[in-house]
């Protein structure tokens, strides 16, 4: 998508150059204009990340003592809640605008957004008395999105250096929260045999339709008869709630190791997951009619109905933030 945006920008600038050359002898400008914009946004309202399946948004380090009376007991060594925002990242846009008069204009902008990658959960278990790791789960998430932003632009109408205020709505057209998880676990099968399991998977969370708000304060500098360069500070608030999730990549490998040698190996791929394991529909409330887990066999989760999508609690994220943009404006 980023490559597509860069290609589109290059095409637009080429078209602008050709139009400029073709209209050098024309003194009258149309009320229409085009803009190409790029910028970076920073998080201004970090919050707690949603759960990744059964794992809460925490950086948790536990310790296992095989001599403990409770075989399942884990001592917590450290725990930290993971917070952040998906509003931090790169945004690029292409705009079409119309000058109603000297002071007012309307714009419609198509934007592509790519957030930075965030640590969503990390769970680590080590053996007492050393740094031998028995289990580790780590997930990172990032957002890609395309939106349409209609705006009203107000300015004093100065010729050379023209400050302006722009405000309007943000209407997401497409978006995904991608979650990448890597996990490994060591399990004792017998006094001389261990099972070493590694899992790598990728999930896509689709959002519900929503609407956000945006506003910017900028300055436009005239650099030619048809060209302006502008810089601006923009704030966006775009809350997004989850609709459904699908696991799109999954690789699980379990190796049986005895006395340092691999004596057996099993695999589990995406095609071997049940429909309930691969697909999730989010709900505001879970009740007795929800398709929730009832058992687990190794890494396989058993649901009330494995042939239907599972259910989980709806989560919320914000892909808004405070950013700085620079761009080029061409008057047609």
């Amino acid at each position: 998508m980023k490559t597509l945006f860069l290609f589109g920008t290059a095409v637009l600038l080429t078209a602008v150059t050709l139009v400029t050359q073709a209209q050098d002898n024309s003194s009258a400008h149309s009320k229409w204009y085009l803009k190409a914009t790029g910028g970076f946004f920073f998080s201004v309202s970090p919050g707690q990340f949603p759960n990744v399946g059964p794992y809460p948004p925490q950086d948790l380090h536990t310790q296992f003592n095989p001599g403990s009376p409770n075989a399942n007991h884990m001592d917590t060594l450290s725990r930290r809640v993971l917070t952040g925002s998906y509003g931090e990242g790169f945004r690029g846009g292409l705009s079409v605008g119309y000058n109603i008069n000297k002071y007012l204009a309307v714009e419609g902008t198509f934007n592509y957004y790519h957030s930075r990658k965030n640590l969503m959960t990390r769970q680590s278990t080590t053996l007492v008395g050393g740094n031998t790791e028995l289990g580790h789960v780590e997930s990172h998430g990032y957002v890609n999105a395309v939106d349409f932003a209609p705006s009203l632009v107000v300015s004093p109408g100065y010729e050379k250096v023209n400050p302006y205020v722009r405000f309007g709505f943000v209407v997401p057209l497409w978006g995904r929260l991608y979650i990448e998880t890597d996990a490994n676990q060591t399990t004792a099968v017998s006094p001389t045999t261990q099972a070493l399991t590694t899992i790598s998977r990728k999930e896509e969370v689709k959002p519900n339709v929503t609407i956000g708000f945006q506003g910017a304060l900028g300055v436009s500098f005239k650099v030619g008869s048809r060209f302006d360069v502008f810089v601006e500070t923009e704030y966006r608030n775009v809350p997004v709630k989850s609709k459904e999730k699908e696991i799109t990549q999954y690789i699980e490998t379990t190796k049986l190791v005895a006395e340092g040698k691999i004596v057996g190996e099993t695999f589990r791929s995406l095609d071997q997951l049940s429909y309930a394991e691969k697909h999730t529909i989010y709900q505001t409330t879970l009740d007795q009619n929800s398709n929730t887990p009832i058992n687990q066999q190794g890494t396989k989760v058993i649901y009330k109905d494995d042939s239907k999508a599972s259910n989980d609690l709806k989560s919320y994220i914000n892909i808004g933030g405070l950013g700085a943009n620079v761009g080029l404006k061409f008057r047609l």
Side-chain angles (χ1 to χ4, degrees):
M1 197 69 189
K2 183 176 181 181
T3 303
L4 180 61
F5 168 72
L6 294 175
F7 175 76
T9 302
V11 172
L12 175 63
L13 293 178
T14 302
V16 166
T17 302
L18 294 175
V19 172
T20 302
Q21 293 174 351
Q23 296 185 355
D24 277 341
N25 296 326
S26 174
S27 58
H29 294 170
S30 167
K31 290 188 174 183
W32 293 91
Y33 61 86
L34 303 175
K35 289 169 58 178
T37 312
F40 191 86
F41 279 69
F42 300 90
S43 171
V44 293
S45 55
Q48 184 170 304
F49 290 125
N51 293 347
V52 182
Y55 301 103
Q58 295 179 1
D59 187 352
L60 176 64
H61 183 190
T62 58
Q63 182 177 261
F64 174 66
N65 185 354
S68 173
N70 185 352
N72 296 320
H73 177 71
M74 299 287 181
D75 295 321
T76 299
L77 300 182
S78 66
R79 185 193 302 267
R80 177 172 64 94
V81 175
L82 296 175
T83 60
S85 170
Y86 290 100
E88 183 173 346
F90 166 82
R91 184 178 69 85
L94 297 174
S95 306
V96 176
Y98 179 80
N99 291 306
I100 299 174
N101 55 40
K102 186 178 181 180
Y103 311 105
L104 295 176
V106 290
E107 289 183 4
T109 305
F110 289 94
N111 297 292
Y112 168 71
Y113 175 74
H114 176 76
S115 79
R116 78 175 184 90
K117 191 173 288 188
N118 294 283
L119 175 63
M120 297 184 65
T121 187
R122 181 160 53 203
Q123 318 280 319
S124 177
T125 300
T126 54
L127 185 64
V128 65
N131 295 320
T132 302
E133 192 170 56
L134 301 178
H136 186 96
V137 177
E138 188 166 325
S139 298
H140 295 84
Y142 62 94
V143 168
N144 287 344
V146 176
D147 66 62
F148 175 69
S151 306
L152 178 66
V153 183
V154 182
S155 76
Y158 296 155
E159 183 69 18
K160 298 292 185 181
V161 180
N162 190 32
Y164 62 87
V165 174
R166 175 173 55 81
F167 55 91
F169 299 99
V170 179
V171 182
L173 302 178
W174 174 89
R176 294 289 187 273
L177 167 59
Y178 296 96
I179 303 176
E180 299 172 345
T181 301
D182 290 296
N184 61 74
Q185 181 176 341
T186 301
T187 306
V189 178
S190 70
T192 59
T193 306
Q194 292 180 322
L196 308 180
T197 301
T198 60
I199 297 174
S200 177
R201 76 178 189 182
K202 185 174 183 178
E203 304 163 88
E204 294 184 13
V205 180
K206 301 177 183 179
N208 272 306
V209 176
T210 185
I211 188 170
F213 302 92
Q214 47 95 2
L217 177 64
V219 181
S220 181
F221 302 92
K222 186 176 181 180
V223 294
S225 62
R226 294 185 180 276
F227 287 99
D228 290 351
V229 172
F230 62 90
V231 295
E232 62 182 23
T233 299
E234 180 179 3
Y235 174 73
R236 293 180 149 228
N237 188 332
V238 189
V240 179
K241 56 184 177 181
S242 57
K243 179 182 180 181
E244 56 187 90
K245 179 181 71 174
E246 180 182 358
I247 297 178
T248 57
Q249 297 178 22
Y250 187 90
I251 300 175
E252 176 186 328
T253 304
T254 299
K255 298 179 180 179
L256 291 178
V257 179
E259 298 179 350
K261 296 182 180 180
I262 299 176
V263 296
E265 192 169 9
T266 59
F267 300 92
R268 192 168 180 236
S269 64
L270 181 65
D271 294 338
Q272 294 171 299
L273 299 181
S274 69
Y275 191 87
E277 288 179 295
K278 287 191 288 186
H279 299 271
T280 302
I281 296 177
Y282 292 98
Q283 298 178 333
T284 304
T285 303
L286 295 179
D287 54 31
Q288 60 183 0
N289 296 317
S290 301
N291 191 18
T292 52
I294 57 175
N295 199 1
Q296 184 166 343
Q297 298 175 356
T299 60
K300 180 177 176 60
V301 180
I302 311 298
Y303 291 84
K304 294 177 181 177
D305 189 341
D306 286 337
S307 64
K308 295 182 179 179
S310 60
N311 297 123
D312 201 353
L313 286 174
K314 192 180 296 292
S315 60
Y316 300 82
I317 64 173
N318 193 308
I319 58 173
L322 181 66
N325 299 317
V326 296
L328 181 67
K329 176 180 176 181
F330 171 70
R331 292 180 294 276
L332 298 175

